[in-house]
């Protein structure tokens, strides 16, 4: 399929709301074409000086239009794709585009795995003293909280490319376990440092059979 393409150094997941400020002439034209022709467009992730994967998005609303033609728009992310080709300008247009293949995804995660990931996420939030909103496991998926667990940009991009929900949740679970371990050690170290310099009540040890 051929899509208009709007490369950004950002990762968006299916179902996510995508707010954009449009100020370049080529993308003003793109948004106007979307309004007139009900087009969707792709946001490929610009990473490591190239584009390979991205997410199709659909325009939902133009929130603000400014005198100079700039716009604030809201889109919704739909399907993940792999870029097959890219041209800097589509025929007769200012904006670029390219051929893409949409990725099939498999929702194969068990309820037990969802519960386990949610528990580990809640544990991380407790360590950070951040409010956690409980989500029913059946309504939870890897995309819904992917931006809210401290993944790096490269980790978010890696997650985007995974086709199986079970793989995505295992990836998130491993990240949560590693992050929780680090935070636990940081808090322990902080406690030790805070104790330094204070008088301590040491109990004498009794080793009746102790020999040198």
């Amino acid at each position: 399929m051929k899509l208009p393409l709007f490369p950004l150094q950002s990762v968006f997941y299916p179902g996510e709301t995508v707010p954009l400020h449009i100020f370049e002439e080529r993308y003003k034209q793109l948004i106007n074409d979307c309004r007139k022709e009900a087009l969707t467009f792709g946001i490929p992730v610009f990473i490591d000086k190239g584009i390979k994967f991205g997410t199709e998005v659909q325009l939902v609303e133009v929130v603000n239009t400014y005198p100079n033609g700039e716009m604030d728009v809201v889109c919704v992310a739909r399907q993940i794709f792999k870029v097959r080709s890219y041209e800097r300008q589509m025929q007769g247009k200012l904006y670029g585009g390219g051929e893409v293949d949409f990725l099939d995804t498999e929702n194969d995660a068990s309820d037990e795995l969802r519960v386990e990931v949610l528990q580990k996420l809640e544990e991380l939030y407790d360590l950070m003293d951040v409010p956690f909103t409980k989500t029913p496991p059946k309504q939870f998926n890897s995309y819904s909280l992917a931006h809210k667990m401290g993944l790096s940009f490269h980790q978010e991009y890696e997650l985007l490319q995974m086709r199986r929900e079970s793989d995505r949740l295992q990836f998130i679970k491993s990240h949560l376990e590693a992050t929780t371990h680090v935070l636990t050690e940081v808090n322990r170290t902080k406690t030790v440092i805070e104790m330094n310099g204070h008088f301590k009540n040491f109990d004498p040890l009794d080793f009746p059979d102790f020999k040198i």
Side-chain angles (χ1 to χ4, degrees), residues 63-74:
V63 179
N64 295 308
T65 302
Y66 300 92
N68 61 358
E70 294 184 14
M71 290 174 273
D72 295 324
V73 305
V74 174

Side-chain angles (χ1 to χ4, degrees), residues 75-131:
C75 303
V76 63
R78 295 173 41 158
Q79 303 178 78
I80 297 167
F81 59 78
K82 183 176 183 178
V83 180
R84 293 181 58 191
S85 65
Y86 177 71
E87 52 186 320
R88 293 182 64 85
Q89 280 188 265
M90 296 181 72
Q91 187 174 3
K93 302 297 181 182
L94 298 175
Y95 50 81
E99 295 282 345
V100 305
D101 290 327
F102 290 110
L103 303 186
D104 293 326
T105 58
E106 187 176 348
N107 188 17
D108 63 340
S110 66
D111 288 343
E112 290 77 15
L113 180 56
R114 295 179 199 276
V115 168
E116 192 174 0
V117 170
L118 281 169
Q119 288 172 343
K120 291 186 181 300
L121 186 60
E122 185 172 6
E123 182 182 350
L124 175 63
Y125 273 46
D126 285 344
L127 278 172
M128 297 188 301
D129 197 23
V130 174

Side-chain angles (χ1 to χ4, degrees), residues 141-156:
N141 65 64
S142 56
Y143 297 138
S144 61
L145 291 174
H147 292 308
K148 300 178 181 178
M149 57 187 68
L151 294 176
S152 70
F153 178 50
H154 280 78
Q155 286 175 317
E156 288 189 348

Side-chain angles (χ1 to χ4, degrees), residues 145-207:
L145 291 174
H147 292 308
K148 300 178 181 178
M149 57 187 68
L151 294 176
S152 70
F153 178 50
H154 280 78
Q155 286 175 317
E156 288 189 348
Y157 182 63
E158 187 176 350
L159 186 73
L160 184 75
Q161 300 171 55
M162 296 180 183
R163 301 193 181 197
R164 295 164 56 112
E165 176 70 354
S166 58
D167 291 339
R168 292 191 293 268
L169 288 177
Q170 288 290 352
F171 180 81
I172 288 171
K173 177 185 168 185
S174 296
H175 167 76
L176 290 171
E177 288 172 343
T179 305
T180 299
H181 175 73
V182 170
L183 281 178
T184 300
E185 286 301 299
V186 167
N187 288 339
R188 184 191 65 79
T189 303
K190 181 180 176 183
T191 301
V192 170
I193 292 172
E194 287 174 345
M195 288 176 61
N196 189 34
H198 293 276
F199 290 101
K200 304 176 182 68
N201 183 23
F202 293 105
D203 291 329
L205 300 177
D206 184 14
F207 294 118

